[in-house]
């Protein structure tokens, strides 16, 4: 019997592979290369970005307890940079909550935005 974590990890791995395949189909080999170049650029800018002041506005941190990619240290780093952030944890859902728990994800984000968005 496979665990929720095993299923979530397999789901995320399959989703990532399908995303790369879709990017390659849509943009061809050059499209996939461009995507990877943007990721490399983002990684190179990370030290500079981490030294900048954090966003001061409303922040929502959403995490699944069985997420195989986001560790407790990652989540704590976010909380350290955004001490006033609200948090919402799900017991399961893996790394792709918008896909694995779309109704819960949409309800959580919608409720947060309704409380923090002013429409004149």
């Amino acid at each position: 019997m496979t665990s929720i974590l095993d299923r979530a990890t397999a789901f995320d791995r399959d989703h990532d592979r399908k995303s790369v395949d879709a990017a390659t189909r849509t943009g061809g080999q050059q499209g996939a290369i461009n995507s990877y170049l943007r990721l490399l650029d983002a990684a190179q800018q990370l030290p500079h970005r981490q030294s900048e002041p954090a966003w001061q506005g409303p922040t929502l941190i959403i995490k699944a307890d069985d997420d195989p990619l986001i560790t407790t240290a990652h989540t704590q780093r976010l909380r350290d940079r955004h001490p006033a952030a609200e948090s919402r944890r799900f017991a399961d859902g893996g790394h792709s909550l918008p896909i694995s728990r779309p109704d819960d994800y949409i309800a959580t984000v919608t409720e947060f935005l309704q409380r923090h968005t002013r429409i004149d």
Side-chain angles (χ1 to χ4, degrees):
M1 181 174 179
T2 60
S3 71
I4 291 173
L5 178 59
D6 291 336
R7 289 194 311 266
T9 302
F11 175 84
D12 289 334
R13 195 175 325 129
D14 186 53
H15 178 263
D16 291 345
R17 183 188 54 76
K18 287 179 181 176
S19 295
V20 170
D21 290 347
T24 303
R25 279 192 309 278
T26 302
Q29 183 178 13
Q30 191 58 49
I33 290 169
N34 289 340
S35 294
Y36 284 116
L37 288 173
R38 281 189 295 220
L39 286 171
L40 288 172
D41 183 53
Q44 289 170 339
Q45 292 182 31
L46 188 58
H48 170 70
R49 297 279 184 217
Q50 288 177 327
S51 67
E52 293 176 344
W55 162 255
Q56 299 299 309
T59 304
L60 176 63
I61 299 170
I62 304 174
K63 181 185 184 331
D65 290 339
D66 66 348
D67 186 332
L69 301 177
I70 304 300
T71 66
T72 303
H74 293 130
T75 306
Q76 187 58 51
R77 201 170 320 138
L78 281 172
R79 288 188 179 119
D80 291 345
R81 282 188 60 80
H82 306 281
E86 296 178 34
S87 294
R88 175 68 163 93
R89 290 175 51 190
F90 293 98
D92 58 41
H95 188 65
S96 302
L97 286 169
I99 296 169
S100 62
R101 298 183 67 139
D103 294 338
D104 293 328
Y105 182 85
I106 290 168
T108 299
V109 172
T110 299
E111 188 274 331
F112 175 81
L113 291 174
Q114 286 173 340
R115 285 188 293 107
H116 295 284
T117 302
R118 189 179 80 196
I119 299 175
D120 294 325

